[in-house]
Amino acid sequence: MKGEGWLFAGTALFFAATTSVYWALSREPAGTAALTVAFLMSSLVAFFFFIEYRRRGLRAQDRREADIAETAGRLAFFPPRSAWPATIAVGVTLLALGVVFGLWLFLIGCGLLAGAVFGFVFQHSDRWN
């Protein structure tokens, strides 16, 4: 995962440079905000890959002398079904409608979205890797 981390770190550096040049030349807030978000997102992914590399070490795909048979076997746990993605979609819909129709609907959407994201993240927290 070290290679993927460096790939996304390079992407983050590209977006950082692009953002600073764009802001200096245009002073336009919407494009600067979009490029800043792109920088932050690619930095987050790079950070995740570096942490995973530190935690798990080299994978068989990262070593040149590895055999294909080393990657065989169980990869991970994939849940068979989950209602949380649909619940997140309903929460985001209520959140967006709340922007249009009122604060009360926005707050309901925030509460539903927070609970759904929590449920989605921790639905299989009792399983070990």
Side-chain angles (χ1 to χ4, degrees):
M1 296 206 189
K2 192 173 189 180
E4 292 94 340
W6 284 114
L7 177 73
F8 277 98
T11 305
L13 288 175
F14 169 77
F15 279 124
T18 305
T19 302
S20 61
V21 169
Y22 184 82
W23 178 78
L25 295 178
S26 72
R27 303 279 183 180
E28 194 261 325
T32 304
L35 287 170
T36 303
V37 168
F39 162 72
L40 292 173
M41 290 174 68
S42 55
S43 298
L44 178 68
V45 174
F47 177 73
F48 170 77
F49 279 133
F50 284 129
I51 293 298
E52 283 297 306
Y53 171 71
R54 181 182 292 169
R55 227 170 79 191
R56 298 178 187 219
L58 284 174
R59 299 174 299 174
Q61 294 91 341
D62 296 331
R63 294 181 286 126
R64 292 191 184 272
E65 67 277 352
D67 292 328
I68 294 175
E70 291 182 45
T71 61
R74 185 171 172 226
L75 294 176
F77 169 73
F78 300 101
R81 66 185 62 89
S82 176
W84 294 114
T87 311
I88 288 173
V90 171
V92 169
T93 303
L94 288 176
L95 196 97
L97 288 173
V99 171
V100 176
F101 292 113
L103 181 63
W104 64 274
L105 193 57
F106 181 82
L107 293 175
I108 291 172
C110 283
L112 182 63
L113 183 63
V117 167
F118 185 82
F120 190 47
V121 168
F122 293 110
Q123 70 180 339
H124 298 290
S125 63
D126 58 339
R127 297 190 59 88
W128 295 93
N129 287 343

